Amino acid sequence: MERNERISTLLNSLEERILLLDGAMGTMIQGYGLTEDDYRGERFADWESDLKGNNDLLSITRPEVIREIHNAFLDAGADIIETNTFNSNAPSMADYGMESLVTELNTVAARLARESADAAAARTGKPRYVAGALGPTNRTASISPDVNDPGFRNITFDQLADTYEVASIALIEGGVDFLLIETIFDTLNAKAAIVGVKRAFRATGIELPVMISGTITDASGRTLSGQTTEAFWNSVRHIKPFMIGLNCALGAGELRPYIAELARIADTRVSAYPNAGLPNEFGEYDETAEEMAAVVGEFAESGLVNLIGGCCGTRPEHIRALGKAVENRAPRKVPELPVRCRLSGLEPFNIGPDDLFANVGERCNVTGSAIFRRLIEADDYTAAVAVARQQVDNGAQIIDVNMDEGMLDSEKAMVTFLNLIASEPDVARLPIMIDSSKWTVIEAGLKCVQGKAVVNSISMKEGEESFIEQAELCRDYGAAVIIMAFDEKGQADTIERKVNICKRSYEVLTEKVGFDPADIIFDPNIFAVATGIEEHSSYGLDFIEATRQIKALLPHALISGGVSNVS
């Protein structure tokens, strides 16, 4: 069966039954009691660092072990097996000095899994699928590893996107059926993975389905980087995953409320592959297959899931028991949800037709606030962060950040400030509006924000080609976007021009770029009001009338308006 046919069969099967993912590769490897020599093999016998624990390397040095593990899970009934590539990325491999092996590790692991899946399909007559696993790395892009320096990062967005691109290309060429961005504890890492995956699709000319699975780390119901389940979903839904889910960190019982939350808010399929309970004092997992299956069986009975499997501590017997627990249960029906602009910081912020005005705090703006500008110029970021906190206290629901000042290194200032406010929970819970007239500054900002941000702004001032290029990047970074009513002829100065430019922009975004219309926010320009000048007298009314026509003409688009000369 060719890949396209397998993918079609996979998607059709998900409509008919709950599918089964495999269990824990690491747990199974531990059971072999492998030595340092096993990990090294002949090829790496003289490697300068210890290699025991580098489980992904076994795809090269002990492929028969990995093949046996795949086969054991397939024999237990798994429909899908994951490649042995959880750590096959440059940051994780740097621990062993093996960054150069990223391509080979992913390629070899994909081929091993493909061979096992195809052999099982031929043996049983039941299609089997391979998920190309993209793990979270051992770094956090939105959290400082130094408590004394909250603005410091030990990995950049670009470094992450680059290694995810390399890994994704190798997995695609190795024959996987879909890509799985998994065990996400920092959503900014996942957003970098999404960018890397998109690049890999363009590089190979092959676009595969994408599954995303996050990790709720404790009873707070948040990821390690602080996001709630819904904020996490809002941040990654732009890639339109065929499956969204949660795995690791918690046992099935502890994971249940967050799976239920995903099932409520996600307009795609939902997966769960929890640990075998919580670890004991020795770091081992004691939950039996039967105990786990009883809990996960209730997930299915309640209509919460489309796919289930196991993470840490789960073995073939767990997968076999899970299969029996769900075999007569119908899969969750994907709901049709109302169209909304769904933003996020650490918490979700959804804007619907019945909501009141969304308040944007604009004091973190060097062009609009002399106080804030002086603080940034003086490098007093502690006081500048306090300005953002004050806006939250005063009722802001989105925080606008602008660093456009001729004497500033605007990109550096944007990155520094966004990294600092990411460590302030009261501020970071809100979505960020990245505000600049310079695209390089906007892009630098997008690489710092784990939530779903708003870009302010882009327009067709430089022509349609440049507009499309920037819009595609905004889409790939997962941002909503403000569109100025501006085209090649200049700023829209009449009702007709405002409406026509917005209509043209909307059509380009929705028809050529594939932009979600709910993520489009138009600014039809409020020219100076209350000046006493006769020719200015209709400016306010013109804005209101243009807004009325735009809302009637362009479904789901939002409107932003700022009265600059009296703000």
Side-chain angles (χ1 to χ4, degrees), residues 114-292:
R114 178 80 274 146
E115 289 167 6
S116 290
D118 289 349
R123 188 169 62 250
T124 64
K126 176 184 174 183
R128 307 299 178 100
Y129 311 100
V130 175
L134 296 166
T137 80
N138 54 5
R139 305 290 177 92
T140 56
S142 69
I143 304 174
S144 172
D146 183 353
V147 294
N148 298 311
D149 187 0
F152 173 68
R153 301 291 185 271
N154 63 3
I155 192 79
T156 68
F157 187 98
D158 288 334
Q159 287 171 326
L160 287 167
D162 287 347
T163 195
Y164 280 123
E165 179 185 1
V166 170
S168 298
I169 290 172
L171 289 170
I172 292 167
E173 293 180 345
V176 304
D177 298 307
F178 64 90
L179 296 177
L180 167 55
I181 303 170
E182 68 168 337
T183 321
I184 298 161
F185 52 76
D186 184 339
T187 310
L188 190 55
N189 287 36
K191 291 173 75 174
I194 289 170
V195 168
V197 164
K198 289 272 195 176
R199 291 177 185 167
F201 290 163
R202 289 190 286 269
T204 60
I206 298 169
E207 185 163 343
L208 299 182
V210 175
M211 174 178 164
I212 291 180
S213 187
T215 296
I216 300 298
T217 53
D218 55 37
S220 70
R222 294 176 182 262
T223 62
L224 182 67
S225 56
Q227 281 196 311
T228 65
T229 303
E230 185 172 1
F232 165 66
W233 167 236
N234 284 3
S235 301
V236 299
R237 64 191 297 270
H238 59 282
I239 199 173
K240 300 178 181 177
F242 82 101
M243 187 98 66
I244 182 75
L246 298 172
N247 74 289
C248 205
L250 303 176
E254 296 79 16
L255 197 63
R256 203 264 185 208
Y258 313 115
I259 291 296
E261 174 75 353
L262 262 187
R264 181 183 67 83
I265 61 176
D267 52 356
T268 189
R269 303 168 190 87
V270 168
S271 67
Y273 51 113
N275 292 347
L278 297 174
N280 61 27
E281 61 270 27
F282 303 108
E284 298 171 343
Y285 296 86
D286 300 325
E287 191 168 78
T288 67
E290 291 73 22
E291 290 168 340
M292 184 178 183

Side-chain angles (χ1 to χ4, degrees), residues 237 338-342 350-355 452 516 518-519:
R237 64 191 297 270
V339 177
R340 296 285 186 273
C341 179
R342 302 179 188 274
N350 303 326
I351 306 172
D354 298 325
D355 293 313
K452 181 171 180 178
D516 184 340
D519 289 339

